[in-house]
Amino acid sequence: MAAAKLNTLLQTKVIESQPEACYLLGKLEGILSKSIEEKTETYSFLIPLVRTLVSKIYELLFMNLHLPSLPPTNGSPSFFEDFQEYCSSDEWQIYIDKYIIPNMKQYEENSFRHDHEQMALYWKDCYEAFMVNMHRRDRERGESKLKFQEHFVEPFSRKARQENLRYNSMLKQLNSQHIATLRQWKAAQLYLLSERGPWSEMKQHPIHWKLSNVENFSRMRLKLVQNYNFNSHQDASDLRDNLGVHQTQLSSESLLLEVVKQVKVSDLEDDVLELPEEDTAASSNLDEKDEQSQKEKLILSEDCELVTVIDVIPGRLEITTQHIYFFDGSIEKEEGVGFDFKWHLSQIREIHLRRYNLRRSALEIFLTDQTNYFLNFNKEVRNKVYSRILSLRSPNISGTRSPQELFKASGLMQ
């Protein structure tokens, strides 16, 4: 079927130039010679094509002059065997090698070079168009992403922050309302059950008092408040005075107290602060120009923890020439809500070395407004922060001596 179609194409094909005819004959002769050498059945399908091609280019390539022994192609019944023998002759081989092959190569170079150039230009244009479309698509995607972020992501984030603030404020309001309600109930209970109240009991319970947690400027507690959780510790008193020892199991609190009593207290001299030489040198060599210009300059920045009654907040302490900053670094911190503080150096009244979890790694800072802050550092950093704050020489800082120095200065052992 394929040979028949090729034969039809060759019959209808108009061959105008000798290079084109040489190209067709050279390609067909290569396949024909290969099939003769291998003795395959392809030869029988190629003979009709060779006969048609030779009959069309016979005069164009002057075969009557170059190939006088060529078998006739005008329907000879023996053309099949005659041409097979003629292909192995020297006349046909010389004609193919010296005339057909060179013209075929020249035709390939002239024709396909132009085609290759056209294809190269075509693919180059395709690549440029592809890159332009890709950049345009990326730009459109970037613009669409910005639009999506502007119209959806940012409003959602803003609404989420507002909702979190509203929820936190609502929790604070509910907590304050709950505390106020409890105070009112306690006041009503005290009014009804007092000695002059309508529900007073004939036998009044003794009233016990304790020191209030309210302190004055000198950290003195001068007020008494009623103690509703009074414990006379009668069992402990009986054990002390040998008035009846009961074989009771020790509670966990008593066991813990016994363990604490047996712990050997380390030497107090470990709390004596030894200022590094470089810190003392730095404090003595403060730049006078910076002090005159009053420009705030960062001196030290260290990671620390703010220890409160109910939580430990990780953060960062920054010491400058004018202020001390604490920045809340907790994950739960919401926008506008957090333990961020800023203290002017003139507000610091006292600073003392403290222990946290039995480690000498904490500082407690007392301010002039009767507030205090407990900060925990790494053990190696605590003394460095302490010395840097003292090197600023704030006029209100006092009472910064170690506990043993204060104890010696008090004269209680004399």
Side-chain angles (χ1 to χ4, degrees):
M1 181 65 70
K5 289 184 177 181
L6 289 176
N7 194 5
T8 304
L9 290 175
L10 286 176
Q11 290 177 0
T12 57
K13 171 69 177 176
V14 178
I15 302 175
E16 299 177 351
S17 61
Q18 291 183 356
E20 183 180 0
C22 293
Y23 175 78
L24 294 174
L25 183 59
K27 290 295 183 182
L28 189 58
E29 194 276 335
I31 302 173
L32 183 65
S33 60
K34 185 177 180 182
S35 65
I36 294 173
E37 292 177 359
E38 296 178 356
K39 296 180 180 181
T40 60
E41 297 180 356
T42 310
Y43 177 79
S44 60
F45 297 100
L46 295 176
I47 284 298
L49 298 177
V50 174
R51 178 183 293 179
T52 303
L53 182 60
V54 170
S55 61
K56 293 196 67 168
I57 63 176
Y58 186 79
E59 296 180 356
L60 184 61
L61 297 182
F62 304 101
M63 288 186 177
N64 54 350
L65 299 178
H66 298 284
L67 302 173
S69 301
L70 180 66
T73 59
N74 52 358
S76 176
S78 61
F79 182 79
F80 185 88
E81 295 82 4
D82 297 341
F83 190 80
Q84 186 175 2
E85 294 178 359
Y86 183 75
C87 287
S88 59
S89 63
D90 296 337
E91 181 180 323
W92 175 259
Q93 294 296 331
I94 294 172
Y95 177 75
I96 292 297
D97 294 337
K98 292 188 177 180
Y99 184 73
I100 299 299
I101 298 299
N103 289 327
M104 182 185 69
K105 292 182 179 179
Q106 185 177 2
Y107 178 80
E108 287 179 347
E109 293 178 358
N110 295 333
S111 299
F112 294 108
R113 182 187 302 170
H114 179 70
D115 294 339
H116 287 312
E117 292 177 355
Q118 292 294 329
M119 290 299 294
L121 292 175
Y122 172 75
W123 287 115
K124 182 179 179 182
D125 295 339
C126 292
Y127 177 75
E128 291 178 355
F130 171 75
M131 295 300 294
V132 170
N133 291 331
M134 187 175 65
H135 287 303
R136 185 185 298 113
R137 190 179 306 154
D138 292 340
R139 185 170 62 251
E140 292 176 355
R141 286 180 180 175
E143 293 176 356
S144 62
K145 184 177 180 180
L146 292 176
K147 290 182 180 179
F148 178 79
Q149 196 169 14
E150 180 180 358
H151 291 87
F152 294 96
V153 177
E154 292 181 358
F156 176 78
S157 301
R158 194 182 309 113
K159 189 67 176 178
R161 289 193 296 268
Q162 294 176 359
E163 182 64 20
N164 289 332
L165 292 175
R166 185 196 65 79
Y167 180 73
N168 292 330
S169 63
M170 183 191 67
L171 291 180
K172 290 181 180 179
Q173 292 178 1
L174 292 176
N175 188 22
S176 61
Q177 292 177 2
H178 180 67
I179 293 174
T181 304
L182 288 179
R183 288 177 180 174
Q184 293 177 0
W185 275 107
K186 289 182 179 180
Q189 182 183 9
L190 181 62
Y191 170 75
L192 295 174
L193 299 179
S194 62
E195 60 182 0
R196 295 185 179 181
W199 296 346
S200 63
E201 299 180 1
M202 298 301 297
K203 182 180 180 181
Q204 294 293 329
H205 297 285
I207 300 176
H208 302 278
W209 303 88
K210 66 177 181 179
L211 285 176
S212 173
N213 293 327
V214 180
E215 299 178 349
N216 63 0
F217 182 81
S218 300
R219 300 190 67 82
M220 300 172 62
R221 297 189 293 177
L222 305 179
K223 182 180 178 181
L224 290 175
V225 295
Q226 192 171 353
N227 185 7
Y228 296 100
N229 300 317
F230 176 75
N231 188 357
S232 61
H233 302 286
Q234 186 64 36
D235 296 338
S237 178
D238 294 341
L239 291 173
R240 180 196 61 189
D241 299 334
N242 296 324
L243 298 179
V245 180
H246 302 285
Q247 297 295 332
T248 58
Q249 294 182 355
L250 295 177
S251 62
S252 60
E253 294 181 358
S254 60
L255 288 175
L256 180 60
L257 181 61
E258 189 68 22
V259 171
V260 172
K261 287 182 180 179
Q262 295 178 2
V263 174
K264 180 180 180 181
V265 180
S266 59
D267 192 5
L268 293 177
E269 294 180 357
D270 293 340
D271 275 336
V272 177
L273 178 66
E274 296 181 0
L275 294 179
E277 296 181 359
E278 57 180 9
D279 293 342
T280 56
S283 62
S284 62
N285 296 329
L286 289 175
D287 193 1
E288 296 180 356
K289 294 183 180 179
D290 292 340
E291 294 180 355
Q292 294 176 0
S293 61
Q294 298 296 327
K295 292 183 179 179
E296 192 169 10
K297 180 181 178 182
L298 181 64
I299 297 178
L300 184 64
S301 178
E302 294 291 345
D303 294 330
C304 64
E305 294 176 342
L306 177 64
V307 181
T308 62
V309 179
I310 60 175
D311 200 0
V312 178
I313 297 96
R316 190 167 187 83
L317 187 73
E318 292 187 359
I319 303 174
T320 64
T321 55
Q322 297 182 5
H323 297 87
I324 295 179
Y325 300 89
F326 176 79
F327 299 102
D328 187 357
S330 59
I331 302 177
E332 296 80 6
K333 178 184 175 183
E334 298 291 342
E335 183 177 354
V337 180
F339 292 88
D340 293 340
F341 300 105
K342 175 183 177 182
W343 313 309
H344 197 274
L345 292 177
S346 60
Q347 295 179 335
I348 302 176
R349 180 167 54 88
E350 296 180 8
I351 178 171
H352 293 285
L353 302 173
R354 292 289 186 261
R355 293 190 183 188
Y356 180 69
N357 291 337
L358 301 179
R359 295 175 66 251
R360 299 178 179 86
S361 60
L363 292 176
E364 190 170 11
I365 300 176
F366 299 87
L367 304 182
T368 56
D369 59 354
Q370 305 305 311
T371 58
N372 59 301
Y373 297 92
F374 195 92
L375 300 174
N376 181 43
F377 301 87
N378 292 330
K379 189 174 181 181
E380 298 80 9
V381 176
R382 193 266 305 259
N383 292 348
K384 184 178 180 181
V385 174
Y386 183 81
S387 61
R388 289 297 174 88
I389 296 177
L390 292 183
S391 65
L392 298 176
R393 302 186 184 280
S394 176
N396 294 329
I397 296 180
S398 61
T400 56
R401 292 182 294 178
S402 60
Q404 61 268 30
E405 291 177 353
L406 294 175
F407 187 72
K408 290 180 181 179
S410 63
L412 296 177
M413 297 298 295
Q414 296 179 358

